[in-house]
Amino acid sequence: MSESQSGLSRVLRAAAARVPEPRTAHRLLRRLTHPLLPDDYSSLVYPLWSSRELRGEVVSVRRETEDVVTLVIKPGWGASPRYQPGQYLGIGVLLEGRWTWRSYSLTSAPSSGRGEYSVTVKAMPEGLLSNHIVGTVEPGTIVRLAAPAGDFHLPSPTPPKIMFVTAGSGITPVMGMLRSLDRRAVNDEFPDVVHVHSVRERKDTLFHEELLALEKTQPGYTMHLRVTSEEGRIDAPQMSALVPDWAERPTWACGPNAMLDELAEHFDATGRDDLYVERFTVNRDAGASGGTVTFGSTGKTVELDGATTILEGGEKVGVQMPFGCRMGICQTCVVGLEDGHVRDLRNGTDHGPGERIQTCVSVACGDVEIKI
């Protein structure tokens, strides 16, 4: 840092000590740094002061199990504490010199103040970022953030009777809902909630002590824990026996695709339309043929089978395309389809030339050219 930069940094730090609000501070910084932008200097004072991008600081890392951690993130200037419990948060982490993005369900309850976000991350076998977060990220790490988003959340007003069906890390968005309901119960009555949660091993139960405590403090909450290594997977008839009034309960479910598919069939068979599902992965068996994918002006091509997404194919040949959740939710990866046809892994829908597609959930049906 030059002597002039050092002097300016001292001035900014002194000014910041007298200015409590970031917006006021940025007005002062604009005057001090003109003709440069405040962001050219504000990181010298405080890394979270940025008007160009939303940033956050990891203030704590709490280990939940051997391969799961909860990050508590203090958001920077411009972040809103208002979001719907159950939504996800986009997080960018600097990994091997590149900002790598993923979206994780918020496990915190919204706050009326500036508040903090919390996300709970499980290390996945092929998850580059999830393994990095679980094994490496420490308090003090600066991350980039995208605003909370997603349609998996409770409506307002909250139904008087609810059922949650979760498995494994699928409990994370529901945990945000439960914490929010618990917080609101100070002024509003806690609804009648039945929660059916499955884990492979008892030791893998996330938030177990908190859930047991919730059962004691909130009479409206009932949890049924299913340990599949001991009792096997729960099926629809068993679910009906466990929750006899299930037909009266709008249901929010998150977990493995097989569980969600069976639950959807169960609801469809009875004409129910109040099942709300959040999927962390997509079904790779879409019956697509695969083909040669050309990445527009880059001139790069790759041969893909019918289960490898366009996004994954681009990464194989070094084509950097935008992405976020990698689950077809956040719309970050949308690009134009110049030629050929692709199939959406989520629902089997085919898309043709001129349409905009999501590369993270689209596979090739023959030769394809992407407009990038």
Side-chain angles (χ1 to χ4, degrees):
M1 182 185 301
S2 69
E3 184 177 345
S4 61
Q5 287 178 317
S6 177
L8 178 57
S9 178
R10 288 195 296 272
V11 171
L12 296 180
R13 289 180 183 276
R18 299 192 298 271
V19 181
E21 292 296 327
R23 291 182 185 276
T24 305
H26 268 267
R27 285 196 294 269
L28 174 61
L29 288 171
R30 281 196 296 269
R31 292 197 295 268
L32 289 172
T33 64
H34 182 77
L36 299 177
L37 295 175
D39 279 10
D40 294 324
Y41 295 100
S42 59
S43 60
L44 298 174
V45 183
Y46 190 40
L48 301 189
W49 280 2
S50 173
S51 59
R52 292 178 179 172
E53 61 188 15
L54 183 59
R55 297 176 182 172
E57 179 183 0
V58 177
V59 295
S60 72
V61 180
R62 183 172 65 250
R63 187 160 293 278
E64 305 287 354
T65 67
E66 182 178 340
D67 59 352
V68 178
V69 299
T70 292
L71 305 183
V72 178
I73 301 171
K74 178 182 179 181
W77 183 84
S80 171
R82 298 177 182 175
Y83 56 88
Q84 297 291 333
Q87 290 187 309
Y88 56 83
L89 179 71
I91 300 177
V93 178
L94 192 59
L95 178 59
E96 297 179 355
R98 178 186 174 189
W99 288 98
T100 302
W101 287 83
R102 294 292 187 274
S103 294
Y104 297 106
S105 297
L106 285 152
T107 49
S108 51
S111 170
S112 57
R114 288 194 57 76
E116 294 173 334
Y117 299 129
S118 74
V119 295
T120 301
V121 181
K122 177 180 175 63
M124 304 304 291
E126 298 180 1
L128 180 65
L129 186 58
S130 65
N131 279 280
H132 174 74
I133 288 175
V134 171
T136 307
V137 169
E138 298 178 347
T141 301
I142 300 299
V143 297
R144 292 179 177 176
L145 302 175
D151 298 324
F152 189 72
H153 56 78
L154 295 174
S156 182
T158 304
K161 300 179 75 172
I162 295 171
M163 182 163 72
F164 293 133
V165 181
T166 58
S169 59
I171 196 176
T172 53
V174 166
M175 199 64 208
M177 297 181 191
L178 288 172
R179 285 170 171 166
S180 180
L181 291 173
D182 187 42
R183 175 176 292 180
R184 284 162 41 189
V186 175
N187 299 313
D188 301 320
E189 185 177 356
F190 196 94
D192 179 354
V193 176
V194 175
H195 183 188
V196 181
H197 181 54
S198 299
V199 293
R200 187 181 301 276
E201 303 288 347
R202 195 173 299 273
K203 64 180 177 61
D204 297 328
T205 309
L206 296 176
F207 317 114
H208 194 196
E209 295 303 319
E210 185 175 351
L211 294 171
L212 292 176
L214 188 62
E215 272 197 305
K216 293 180 180 179
T217 59
Q218 296 294 353
Y221 176 71
T222 302
M223 179 179 67
H224 299 287
L225 180 64
R226 179 88 168 199
V227 182
T228 59
S229 64
E230 301 171 5
E231 307 167 86
R233 288 180 56 243
I234 189 168
D235 56 25
Q238 292 173 336
M239 187 84 70
S240 296
L242 194 63
V243 189
D245 63 346
W246 71 275
E248 304 171 15
R249 297 177 180 273
T251 299
W252 281 260
C254 184
N257 283 331
M259 180 194 82
L260 299 177
D261 291 342
E262 185 174 352
L263 196 60
E265 291 176 5
H266 187 50
F267 271 65
D268 289 343
T270 55
R272 297 274 304 277
D273 63 354
D274 53 357
L275 172 65
Y276 308 94
V277 168
E278 179 86 316
R279 296 178 186 266
F280 288 164
T281 60
V282 294
N283 180 12
R284 297 279 178 160
D285 184 15
S289 61
T292 301
V293 178
T294 302
F295 296 94
S297 59
T298 69
K300 294 184 176 181
T301 63
V302 63
E303 291 286 338
L304 298 181
D305 58 29
T308 302
T309 66
I310 305 297
L311 176 62
E312 292 167 336
E315 291 174 335
K316 285 184 177 180
V317 292
V319 177
Q320 295 187 4
M321 293 181 289
F323 64 86
C325 66
R326 302 177 79 97
M327 297 180 292
I329 299 173
C330 70
Q331 306 290 317
T332 304
C333 67
V334 173
V335 301
L337 180 58
E338 190 76 16
D339 193 24
H341 291 80
V342 302
R343 182 163 298 164
D344 191 315
L345 289 172
R346 297 168 300 175
N347 50 33
T349 301
D350 287 348
H351 298 279
E355 295 188 66
R356 293 180 66 77
I357 65 168
Q358 292 176 259
T359 60
C360 74
V361 291
S362 296
V363 293
C365 295
D367 295 343
V368 169
E369 183 175 354
I370 305 299
K371 187 177 182 178
I372 58 173

